C-alpha cells in the first residue's frame, strides 16, 4: 500500500482514528460476502474496497459485480438489484463460489431478487437496513414487514441494522456515503485492518475535495464502531504469510488495458459496448502514460478499419469489443486474414445472440471467431483464463500477430472483465514493447508476400520503406500482391495462410493436466471457468474420484497432443458457458443434439466422442453445481470408481 | 520543376521522379472511362511535387474507381466496399509522415460508406479524398447509386430511379469541422490538375467530388454536360482553384465565389440547375484530429516503461 503515496494527491494526514480492536474472532477458511443495494448507492465500490483491503492482508479474493440492466432502474425493486459479491479466503480464490455466507442489503426488495436468483442458502447471515420499518409510506412499511417474514421462512438468519439512521448522524444525505459506513462494518466483522480502510478511501477520492475524503472516512469509522457495538459476528480469515513479491489487484478489463500498454501498442480503436467498454475507459485515463491514444470510432466497422489502417502502416493496433461488435467487424477480420495484416482483436464475450445479455457472461463467440468470416479464414485465437493472463496475453497476441502476419483474437468474457483478483505484480520490461517500425530500404526482388513454402511465413514491407511499394488487396492475389483470379494463385494463398497456423502449432506445447494423467473422466474447459472447474475437480478428487481437467489457452491453433491425452481417459467432456442441447430434452437424439462450441471443435479435431455440459444462464459457473454435474457424469461411466 | 536547388546534390538527382515512378500496373478501365483522366492528374500532381513514392499510400474501397491504387506505383490499400475512409484515417493516425490519398466511388462513399464519409470529414485529418462520381454502380453493372438521376433506368430500378439524387455537396458542407470542399469534372485536365493539387496542398481533409464519365452505364449525363456547358458554373477566387487562361473561355457561366463563406457555399451547392466547379469552401482553421491521434508518438522506451510502471502501481496492494 505504501508505494501508493506518490500517487494519492492529498494525503489526509490529519485524519487519524483510534480504532478499538474487536474481541476474539472466529477463524474461517473463506467467506462469500454480498452487498446489494439500489443502483447508484455505491455497493460495488464498497465491495471492491473490501476486496482490495483483504488482498492487502494476504487473502485470496475474487469479486463479481451484480449489475442491473438499466442505468437508473426504479428504486426498491427486485430488477434494480445492484451490488457485488466478494469471495475472500485463505488460499487463492479463482471464482465466485456457491451461495453467499453473509449479505448486507440496503433494502428488502433487492434482497428478494438475490434470494430468487439462488444466491443464498439456509444459514446465510443477512444484515438488512431497518430504515424501511419506519418509512412514512404505509405500503413500504408493509412490504418491508412481509419481506422480513419471508426471509426468515427461507432459513436465512436475519438481523436488522440501522445503516441509514447512523449515517444521518454524520451526513445529511446518506445516499452517497452509506457504502463507506458498510465498508466500516465489514472491516470490523471480518477483522480487517481499519487503517487500510482509511487509506483506501483516501486513495479513491484523491481527486475530490478534502472534505469529501473526511466525511467518507468518518462514515467508515462510524460503521466500524457500529458493527463492534451492534453486530455479534466477528470473523477472521487468515491471509497467507505476507510475501516479498509485490501484488496488484484489478479486474480483467483493467488488466487488458494495462496489457495493451505493456505490449507497446499505441492505438486502441473502439466503439462503446458492454462489457468491453471499461477497458477503454481505463485506457482513456492512462494510455497517455505510454504515449497511446484511444480512438472512439463512429461504429465497430470503422473502429477495426482504423486499427487495420494503423497496423498496415506498421503500428500494430488493437480493437476491443463484444459479440455484436465482432459480428460487425467480421468482414474486416476477413480482410486482415486475407491481406495478412497483424492486428489484435479483443472480444469480451457477453450473452448472445443479438443484443442478448449485455452485462452477463457467456462463452458464445468461439465458433463465430473461428468461422465467422466467409471463405477460409484461419486466424489465431487465444483465451486467457485468469486476470493475470488478461494482462500477459495482450503482449503475446501482438507478437503472434506480427510474427505470423495475422489477426489474433483474444476471447475474454464478462466474468473476467468485472472479476477482481490479486496477482503478482508483473515486472515490466521494455522488451515487451513493439520494436520501432522498420523504415530501411526493402529489397525489391523480394515479393510483398514472399511466402516460405513450408510455413507460409513472410516478411512485410511497411509504408515508408523504399522499394517495398505494393498494393494490399482483399482480392485473391499472388506473391506480389497482384490481383489473381486464377486457380493456382487462390489455392496457393489459402494454403499459405492456413500453413501459418500449422507452423504456430509446432511451437506450442501440450496442455498441462490438472490431476492425474489418466483416469475415468477428463474435463476440458477454456476461458474464465478455470477456477470453477479446478475447484470442482479438486472436490471430487478429494472423495476418490478419478477425474482430471485441462484448460485450453490456444483455441486456434489447438495445443498439440489433445487426441492422445483424451484417449487416456474413459470419457472426456467439456464444460462451457454457451448453448448445447440437453441430451434428455424432447426431440434431442444423437442425430439432432447440438454440442457446446469447444466440444464441436474438439470432436472434429480428435475424432473422439467428446461429451459436453453447458448452460447459458448469464451467470458464472459455480463450483458446487459443477461438482454435482461432474459427479453425475462419472457415476454414469461403467467401471468408474 | 526540375528541382535545381542551391543544395543540388547527387541524392536529389538520384531521386528525381518521372510520371513512370508513380505508375502501377496498366489500368483496366473501359475505353473512355473518366477514371483514367483522374489517375493521370494524380500522377501529375505527385510528379510536380516530387513526392516520395514510398511515402504515398492510396487507399480505396471496392468499385471500378477503387482499382486506382493498383495503378499507382506507391503503397496502396485496396480494402473493403465502403470502408476506405476508416482505414485511411487509421494509417494517418500514427504515421503523420505518410501522404494519404483516398479513391472512392459514389456507392462506396455516399451509400455503404456514408457513416464514414460524415465522420472522416469531421475528423479533418490531413488526407485527400477523391470521389469518382459516375452516378451509378459501375463494377457491379448498373445498379442505382445515391447520385443516379431520377427516372434513370438501372438494373435495380428498370422503371427508372425512384428518388431525386442525393446532393453530396450540401451534405458535405453540412458536416461540422469540414475544411475543404471542391467539385470538378474529369474531362477538363488542366482544371482537374489544379483541383487535385489544391486539395493535396490543403492541410486537413480535402473532399473533391469529381463528376466522372462512365460511357458504359451512364453515358448521357456527362455527354449532356460536355455538349452544353451552360449547366456548369465556374467558381473563381484568388484563394480558389487557379483557373488556367486556356480554360477560362470554355465556361459561359462564371461566379466570383468566396470560399471562406460557408453560407455562400451552401447557396452555390444547393443550386442543382447550375453545377458548380471549383472550390466551394475552405477553412484552414478547422480542428485537426490527426494532430491529436499522434499524441505520444515520440516517447522513448524509457519514458514508456516509466509510464507503464506508474499505471501499474495504481493497482498495487
Ligand atoms: C459488402 C459488399 N457489398 C457489396 C459489394 C458489391 N459491390 C462491389 S462494388 C459495388 C458498387 C460500386 O459502385 P461505386 O462505389 O459507385 O463504384 P464504381 O464502380 O461506380 O466506380 C458493389 C455494390 C461488395 N464488394 N461488398
Ligand atoms: S463501367 Fe464505367 S466506371 Fe467502370 S470502368 Fe467502365 S466506364 Fe469506367
Ligand atoms: Mg459509381
Amino acid at each position: 500500500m505504501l508505494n501508493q503515496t506518490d500517487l494519492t494527491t492529498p494525503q489526509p494526514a490529519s485524519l487519524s482514528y483510534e480504532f478499538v480492536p474487536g474481541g476474539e474472532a472466529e477463524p474461517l477458511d473463506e467467506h462469500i460476502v454480498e452487498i446489494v443495494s439500489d443502483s447508484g448507492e455505491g455497493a460495488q465500490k464498497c465491495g471492491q474496497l473490501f476486496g482490495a483491503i483483504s488482498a492487502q492482508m494476504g487473502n485470496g479474493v475474487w469479486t463479481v459485480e451484480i449489475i442491473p440492466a438499466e442505468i437508473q432502474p426504479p428504486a426498491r425493486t427486485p430488477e434494480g438489484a445492484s451490488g457485488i459479491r466478494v469471495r475472500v479466503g485463505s488460499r487463492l480464490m479463482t471464482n465466485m463460489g456457491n451461495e453467499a455466507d453473509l449479505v448486507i442489503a440496503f433494502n428488502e426488495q433487492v434482497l428478494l431478487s438475490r434470494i430468487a436468483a439462488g444466491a443464498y442458502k439456509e444459514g446465510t447471515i443477512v444484515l438488512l437496513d431497518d430504515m424501511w420499518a419506519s418509512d412514512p409510506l404505509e405500503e413500504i412499511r408493509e412490504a418491508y414487514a412481509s419481506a422480513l417474514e419471508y426471509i426468515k421462512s427461507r432459513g436465512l438468519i436475519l438481523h436488522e441494522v440501522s445503516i441509514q439512521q447512523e449515517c444521518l448522524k454524520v451526513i445529511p444525505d446518506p445516499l452517497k456515503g452509506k457504502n463507506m459506513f458498510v465498508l466500516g462494518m465489514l472491516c470490523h466483522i471480518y477483522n480487517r485492518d481499519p487503517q487500510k480502510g482509511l487509506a483506501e478511501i483516501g486513495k479513491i477520492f484523491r481527486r475530490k475535495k478534502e472534505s469529501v475524503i473526511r466525511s467518507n472516512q468518518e462514515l467508515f469509522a462510524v460503521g466500524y464502531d457500529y458493527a463492534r457495538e451492534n453486530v455479534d459476528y466477528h470473523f477472521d480469515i487468515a491471509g497467507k504469510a505476507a510475501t516479498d513479491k509485490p501484488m496488484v489487484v484489478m479486474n480483467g478489463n483493467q488488466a487488458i488495458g494495462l496489457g495493451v500498454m505493456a505490449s507497446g501498442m499505441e492505438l486502441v480503436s473502439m466503439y462503446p459496448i458492454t462489457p468491453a467498454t471499461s477497458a477503454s475507459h481505463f485506457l482513456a485515463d492512462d494510455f497517455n502514460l505510454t504515449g497511446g491514444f484511444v480512438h472512439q470510432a463512429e461504429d465497430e466497422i470503422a473502429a477495426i478499419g482504423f486499427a487495420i489502417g494503423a497496423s498496415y502502416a506498421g503500428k500494430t493496433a488493437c480493437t476491443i469489443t463484444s459479440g455484436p461488435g465482432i459480428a460487425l467487424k467480421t468482414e474486416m477480420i476477413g480482410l486482415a486474414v486475407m491481406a495478412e495484416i497483424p492486428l489484435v482483436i479483443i472480444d469480451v464475450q457477453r450473452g448472445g445472440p443479438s443484443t442478448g445479455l449485455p452485462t452477463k457472461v457467456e462463452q458464445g463467440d468461439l465458433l463465430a471467431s473461428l468461422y465467422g468470416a466467409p471463405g477460409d479464414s484461419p486466424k489465431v485465437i487465444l483465451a486467457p483464463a485468469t486476470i493475470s493472463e488478461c494482462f500477459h496475453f495482450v503482449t503475446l497476441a501482438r507478437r503472434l500477430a506480427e510474427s505470423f502476419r495475422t489477426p489474433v483474437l483474444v476471447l475474454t468474457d464478462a466474468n473476467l472483465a468485472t472479476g477482481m483478483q490479486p496477482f503478482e505484480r508483473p515486472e515490466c520490461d521494455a522488451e515487451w514493447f513493439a520494436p520501432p517500425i522498420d523504415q530501411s530500404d526493402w529489397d525489391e526482388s523480394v515479393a510483398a508476400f514472399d511466402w516460405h513454402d513450408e510455413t507460409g511465413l513472410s516478411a512485410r514491407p511497411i509504408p515508408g520503406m523504399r522499394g517495398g511499394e505494393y498494393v494490399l488487396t482483399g482480392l485473391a492475389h499472388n506473391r506480389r500482391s497482384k490481383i489473381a483470379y486464377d486457380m493456382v494463385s487462390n489455392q496457393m494463398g489459402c494454403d499459405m495462410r492456413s500453413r501459418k497456423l500449422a507452423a504456430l502449432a509446432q511451437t506450442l506445447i501440450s496442455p498441462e493436466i490438472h490431476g492425474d494423467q489418466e483416469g475415468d473422466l477428463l474435463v476440458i474447459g477454456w476461458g474464465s471457468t478455470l477456477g470453477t472447474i479446478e475447484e470442482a475437480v479438486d472436490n471430487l478428487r478429494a472423495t476418490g474420484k478419478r477425474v482430471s481437467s485441462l484448460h485450453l489457452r490456444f483455441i486456434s491453433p489447438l495445443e498439440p497432443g489433445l487426441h492422445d491425452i483424451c484417449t487416456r481417459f474413459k470419457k472426456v467432456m467439456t464444460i462451457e458457458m454457451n448453448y448445447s442441447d440437453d441430451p434428455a430434452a424432447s426431440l434431442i437424439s444423437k442425430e439432432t443434439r447440438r454440442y457446446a462450441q469447444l466440444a464441436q471443435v474438439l470432436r472434429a479435431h480428435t475424432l473422439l466422442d467428446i461429451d459436453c455440459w453447458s448452460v447459458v444462464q448469464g451467470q458464472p459457473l459455480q463450483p458446487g453445481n459443477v461438482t454435482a454435474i461432474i459427479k453425475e457424469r462419472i457415476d454414469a461411466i461403467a467401471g468408474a470408481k | 520543376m526540375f528541382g535545381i536547388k542551391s543544395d543540388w546534390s547527387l541524392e536529389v538527382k538520384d531521386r528525381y521522379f518521372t510520371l513512370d515512378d508513380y505508375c502501377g500496373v496498366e489500368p483496366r478501365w473501359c475505353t473512355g472511362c473518366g477514371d483514367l483522366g483522374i489517375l493521370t492528374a494524380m500522377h501529375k500532381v505527385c510528379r510536380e511535387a516530387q513526392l516520395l513514392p514510398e511515402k504515398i499510400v492510396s487507399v480505396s474501397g471496392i468499385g471500378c474507381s477503387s482499382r486506382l491504387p493498383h495503378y499507382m506505383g506507391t503503397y496502396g490499400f485496396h480494402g473493403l466496399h465502403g470502408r476506405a475512409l476508416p482505414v485511411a484515417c487509421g494509417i494517418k493516425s500514427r504515421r503523420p509522415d505518410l501522404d494519404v490519398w483516398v479513391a472512392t466511388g459514389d456507392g462506396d462513399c455516399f451509400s455503404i460508406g456514408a457513416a464514414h464519409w460524415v465522420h472522416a470529414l469531421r475528423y479533418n485529418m490531413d488526407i485527400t479524398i477523391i470521389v469518382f462520381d459516375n452516378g451509378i454502380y459501375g463494377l457491379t453493372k448498373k445498379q442505382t447509386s445515391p447520385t443516379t438521376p431520377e427516372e434513370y433506368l438501372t438494373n435495380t430500378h428498370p422503371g427508372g430511379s425512384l428518388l431525386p439524387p442525393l446532393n453530396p455537396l450540401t451534405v458535405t458542407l453540412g458536416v461540422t469541422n469540414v475544411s475543404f470542399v471542391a467539385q470538378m469534372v474529369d474531362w477538363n485536365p488542366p482544371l482537374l490538375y489544379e483541383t487535385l493539387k489544391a486539395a493535396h496542398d490543403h492541410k486537413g481533409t480535402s473532399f473533391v467530388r469529381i463528376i466522372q464519365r462512365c460511357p458504359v452505364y451512364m453515358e448521357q449525363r456527362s455527354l449532356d454536360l460536355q455538349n452544353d456547358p451552360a449547366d456548369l458554373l465556374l467558381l473563381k477566387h484568388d484563394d480558389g482553384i487557379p483557373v488556367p487562361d486556356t480554360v477560362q473561355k470554355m465556361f459561359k457561366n462564371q461566379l466570383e465565389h468566396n470560399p471562406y463563406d460557408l453560407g455562400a457555399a451552401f447557396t452555390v451547392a444547393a443550386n442543382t440547375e447550375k453545377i458548380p466547379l471549383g472550390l466551394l469552401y475552405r477553412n484552414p482553421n478547422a480542428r485537426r484530429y490527426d494532430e491529436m491521434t499522434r499524441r505520444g508518438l515520440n516517447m522513448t522506451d524509457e519514458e514508456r516503461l516509466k509510464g507503464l510502471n506508474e499505471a501499474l502501481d495504481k493497482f498495487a496492494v
Side-chain angles (χ1 to χ4, degrees):
Chain A
M1 171 55 217
L2 283 177
N3 42 9
Q4 240 87 66
T5 37
D6 51 334
L7 304 169
T8 55
T9 9
Q11 275 294 306
S14 54
L15 277 168
S16 62
Y17 287 89
E18 291 283 321
F19 289 97
V20 181
E24 191 78 354
E26 177 190 339
L28 296 171
D29 283 340
E30 66 158 278
H31 236 210
I32 298 171
V33 182
E34 281 195 2
I35 306 142
V36 284
S37 67
D38 283 340
S39 110
E41 291 187 308
Q44 283 150 8
K45 178 100 304 162
C46 171
Q48 284 160 4
L49 293 186
F50 180 62
I53 294 162
S54 299
Q56 287 167 28
M57 298 186 64
N59 287 118
V61 176
W62 185 272
T63 67
V64 194
E65 290 176 11
I66 301 156
I67 310 168
E70 299 158 44
I71 301 290
Q72 288 183 324
R76 290 180 41 80
T77 56
E79 318 73 86
S82 168
I84 191 162
R85 164 179 285 214
V86 188
R87 187 178 180 198
V88 180
S90 296
R91 62 199 159 85
L92 178 71
M93 290 287 118
T94 60
N95 64 80
M96 65 181 274
N98 303 314
E99 296 90 353
D101 298 293
L102 182 144
V103 50
I104 301 191
F106 289 28
N107 70 62
E108 80 288 353
Q109 296 301 320
V110 293
L111 187 66
L112 291 177
S113 99
R114 295 297 295 157
I115 292 174
Y120 312 132
K121 59 188 172 192
E122 258 183 51
T124 296
I125 301 161
V126 175
L127 305 178
L128 175 61
D129 193 348
D130 64 6
M131 66 182 282
W132 312 105
S134 53
D135 196 274
L137 288 177
E138 189 181 340
E139 59 182 88
I140 290 187
R141 291 195 303 272
E142 278 174 8
Y144 180 75
S146 77
L148 290 192
E149 288 317 307
Y150 176 72
I151 293 164
K152 285 184 209 154
S153 76
R154 294 290 303 248
L156 308 186
I157 302 170
L158 178 70
H159 300 276
E160 292 177 89
V161 288
S162 301
I163 299 173
Q164 175 88 1
Q165 280 304 320
E166 293 298 317
C167 288
L168 277 171
K169 294 179 186 165
V170 183
I171 46 166
D173 176 17
L175 182 69
K176 297 260 174 289
K178 262 201 259 197
N179 58 342
M180 292 301 128
F181 178 89
V182 170
L183 180 64
M185 288 176 69
L186 285 170
C187 279
H188 184 268
I189 295 171
Y190 289 98
N191 207 19
R192 312 281 88 174
D193 176 358
Q195 297 302 341
K196 290 200 193 309
L198 290 184
E200 282 299 307
I201 293 170
K203 198 164 111 192
I204 57 155
F205 293 112
R206 65 185 180 278
R207 291 188 191 150
K208 295 269 162 62
K209 283 191 303 232
E210 182 86 18
S211 59
V212 174
I213 301 176
R214 272 165 190 275
S215 79
N216 279 287
Q217 288 176 326
E218 190 168 350
L219 283 161
F220 172 87
V222 172
Y224 186 89
D225 287 342
Y226 175 82
R228 182 167 51 80
E229 285 154 19
N230 299 286
V231 180
D232 286 342
Y233 302 105
H234 190 49
F235 304 119
D236 190 54
I237 305 169
K240 288 188 305 260
T243 76
D244 301 344
K245 298 242 167 78
M247 304 285 281
V248 285
V249 59
M250 66 185 75
N251 67 35
N253 273 359
Q254 291 163 332
I256 290 279
L258 279 164
V260 167
M261 293 168 70
S263 76
M265 285 190 283
E266 297 171 20
L267 180 76
V268 161
S269 177
M270 51 73 72
Y271 186 81
I273 183 165
T274 307
T277 317
S278 66
S280 304
H281 290 176
F282 164 73
L283 283 167
D285 271 337
D286 274 0
F287 208 0
N288 61 320
L289 292 172
T290 54
F293 186 82
V294 177
H295 170 57
Q296 178 181 333
E298 58 270 26
D299 58 37
E300 271 91 354
I301 300 173
I304 186 170
F306 199 95
I308 282 180
S311 293
Y312 161 78
K315 299 278 187 176
T316 303
C318 174
T319 186
I320 306 180
T321 190
S322 188
I326 286 289
L328 282 171
K329 290 175 202 285
T330 302
E331 193 189 12
M332 279 282 181
I333 296 175
L335 172 66
V337 170
M338 180 60 139
E340 304 193 41
I341 307 167
L343 178 70
V344 177
I345 303 150
I346 292 164
D347 176 6
V348 184
Q349 299 166 95
R350 65 190 221 182
S354 189
T355 312
L357 297 169
T359 59
K360 298 189 191 269
V361 69
E362 196 174 299
Q363 298 179 312
D365 298 349
L366 186 149
L367 291 179
S369 306
L370 258 178
Y371 303 125
D376 186 50
S377 146
K379 62 190 84 70
V380 177
I381 303 176
L382 304 176
T386 64
I387 308 293
S388 104
E389 286 177 6
C390 286
F391 175 84
H392 290 288
F393 277 27
V394 183
T395 300
L396 174 65
R398 182 196 51 77
R399 287 187 166 175
L400 290 173
E402 288 172 357
S403 309
F404 289 82
R405 211 175 164 177
T406 177
V408 177
L409 259 140
V410 180
L411 300 179
T412 72
D413 64 32
N415 190 21
L416 285 171
T418 58
M420 251 175 36
Q421 192 187 36
F423 62 96
E424 220 170 83
R425 184 193 188 286
E427 274 181 46
C428 303
D429 191 334
E431 287 273 291
W432 297 349
F433 297 154
I437 52 172
D438 187 356
Q439 293 287 273
S440 60
D441 286 356
W442 179 266
D443 176 355
E444 279 182 55
S445 69
V446 177
F449 295 95
D450 190 28
W451 295 308
H452 183 274
D453 287 337
E454 245 173 60
T455 61
L457 296 177
S458 57
R460 84 192 161 114
I462 290 169
M465 288 174 108
R466 190 173 157 184
E469 293 87 349
Y470 76 108
V471 181
L472 176 146
T473 178
L475 286 162
H477 51 268
N478 60 22
R479 287 177 190 264
R480 296 221 154 255
S481 200
K482 302 289 184 230
I483 299 174
Y485 298 139
D486 62 286
M487 291 153 62
V488 175
S489 296
N490 194 48
Q491 181 71 45
M492 167 72 100
C494 284
D495 283 345
M496 292 294 97
R497 292 187 293 274
S498 182
R499 205 57 48 78
K500 292 190 291 184
L501 286 191
L504 171 55
Q506 293 290 313
T507 70
L508 303 179
I509 51 168
S510 261
E512 246 173 62
I513 297 174
H514 179 78
D516 289 342
Q517 299 300 306
E518 52 180 48
D520 293 329
L521 180 68
L522 176 69
V523 176
I524 304 184
W526 64 285
S528 71
T529 53
L530 171 74
T532 304
I533 292 176
E534 291 192 348
E535 190 170 324
V537 165
D538 290 344
N539 288 342
L540 289 161
R541 291 179 59 78
T543 69
K545 298 287 177 197
R546 288 162 36 87
V547 56
S548 303
S549 65
L550 171 164
H551 217 74
L552 291 173
R553 272 39 174 220
F554 275 81
I555 304 295
S556 169
L558 285 164
E559 291 152 50
L562 289 174
H563 177 272
D564 287 357
I565 293 172
C566 290
T567 53
R568 301 205 296 261
F569 292 83
K570 290 206 177 85
K571 192 113 189 108
V572 181
M573 71 183 292
T574 68
I575 289 188
E576 305 180 55
M577 290 184 288
N578 50 47
Y579 185 78
S580 65
D581 286 327
D582 175 352
S586 65
L587 296 183
I588 300 306
S589 66
K590 263 197 156 161
E591 280 199 338
T592 56
R593 181 174 175 204
R594 294 169 62 238
Y595 285 79
Q597 300 198 1
L598 180 63
Q600 290 191 34
V601 172
L602 292 178
R603 288 170 69 87
H605 179 76
T606 61
L607 295 182
L608 296 170
D609 185 14
I610 293 174
D611 200 356
C612 63
W613 178 84
S614 70
V615 282
V616 281
Q617 295 168 344
Q619 296 298 322
L621 300 182
Q622 298 189 349
N625 194 12
V626 173
T627 305
I629 297 297
I630 298 177
K631 179 169 184 307
E632 198 183 292
R633 294 293 167 103
I634 296 180
D635 291 346
I637 300 172
K641 283 201 200 148
Chain B
M1 96 181 195
F2 266 90
I4 301 178
K5 297 185 191 166
S6 52
D7 64 342
W8 176 262
S9 66
L10 248 154
E11 172 59 14
V12 173
K13 190 171 179 233
D14 260 0
R15 304 224 66 197
Y16 175 74
F17 303 108
T18 65
L19 285 175
D20 251 10
D21 292 311
Y22 302 102
C23 290
V25 299
E26 198 64 28
R28 297 254 194 90
W29 288 307
C30 308
T31 317
C33 175
D35 291 355
L36 206 66
I38 305 172
L39 174 71
T40 307
M42 271 178 78
H43 286 157
K44 227 179 127 197
V45 171
C46 295
R47 198 266 319 265
E48 292 302 298
Q50 285 293 297
L51 305 176
L52 297 175
E54 70 269 21
K55 291 282 194 184
I56 298 175
V57 187
S58 58
V59 183
S60 68
I62 297 289
C64 294
S65 38
S66 289
R67 288 299 174 97
L68 180 126
H70 294 279
Y71 311 143
M72 300 282 291
T74 64
Y75 281 92
F77 191 112
H78 179 205
L80 297 181
H81 190 31
R83 317 298 173 196
L85 288 169
V87 171
C89 292
I91 292 172
K92 195 71 187 175
S93 69
R94 300 297 285 182
R95 289 295 305 273
D97 57 315
L98 296 177
D99 192 352
V100 180
W101 298 70
V102 176
T104 174
D106 43 322
D108 205 57
C109 187
F110 308 143
S111 193
I112 190 169
H116 313 314
W117 165 36
V118 170
H119 290 277
L121 290 167
R122 179 165 165 257
Y123 298 148
N124 191 35
M125 301 173 91
D126 189 15
I127 62 176
T128 307
I129 305 175
I130 306 173
V131 185
F132 296 56
D133 189 345
N134 55 3
I136 196 81
Y137 284 9
L139 190 72
T140 45
K141 302 190 177 15
K142 205 179 187 187
Q143 295 86 19
T144 311
S145 103
T147 55
T148 301
E150 195 169 355
E151 295 181 359
Y152 188 80
L153 309 189
T154 72
N155 284 325
T156 39
H157 295 104
S161 169
L162 300 175
L163 296 169
L166 177 118
N167 183 338
L169 294 180
T170 51
V171 176
T172 300
L173 287 165
V175 178
T176 307
N177 213 40
V178 64
S179 78
F180 184 105
V181 184
Q183 176 160 274
M184 195 38 65
V185 291
D186 75 62
W187 56 85
N188 193 318
L191 265 181
L192 183 59
Y193 167 79
E194 292 297 343
T195 307
L196 293 189
K197 180 177 179 324
H200 179 253
D201 288 346
H202 173 71
K203 295 279 165 247
T205 297
S206 335
F207 173 89
V208 184
R209 178 200 185 200
I210 300 183
I211 298 171
Q212 174 231 319
R213 286 167 299 169
C214 171
V216 181
Y217 297 126
M218 182 56 80
E219 190 175 25
Q220 211 51 47
R221 186 182 74 155
S222 39
L223 274 186
D224 290 349
L225 288 175
Q226 282 175 291
N227 292 339
D228 185 9
D231 283 347
L232 301 173
L233 173 68
L234 184 69
L235 303 180
K236 290 170 49 178
H237 191 269
D238 284 348
D239 286 343
I241 308 294
V243 180
D245 288 342
T246 46
V247 301
Q248 283 271 11
K249 50 186 176 300
M250 292 180 186
F251 294 93
K252 283 191 214 122
N253 308 313
Q254 304 193 359
L255 178 72
E256 188 67 18
H257 167 70
N258 174 6
Y260 302 104
D261 183 342
L262 185 59
F266 259 109
T267 309
V268 168
N271 181 357
T272 48
E273 304 289 300
K274 290 269 172 292
I275 297 171
L277 301 183
L279 183 61
L280 283 96
Y281 183 62
R282 179 204 288 280
N283 176 9
N285 302 317
R287 214 83 61 76
R288 288 234 329 255
Y289 190 53
D290 50 338
E291 289 175 346
M292 307 167 199
T293 60
R294 68 174 74 149
R295 182 185 82 176
L297 203 54
N298 296 322
M299 253 192 184
T300 63
D301 273 3
E302 291 78 67
E303 288 166 329
R304 283 175 210 268
L305 194 58
K306 185 167 165 286
L308 175 60
N309 279 318
E310 185 180 333
L312 201 50
D313 280 336
K314 295 187 189 174
F315 296 93
V317 291

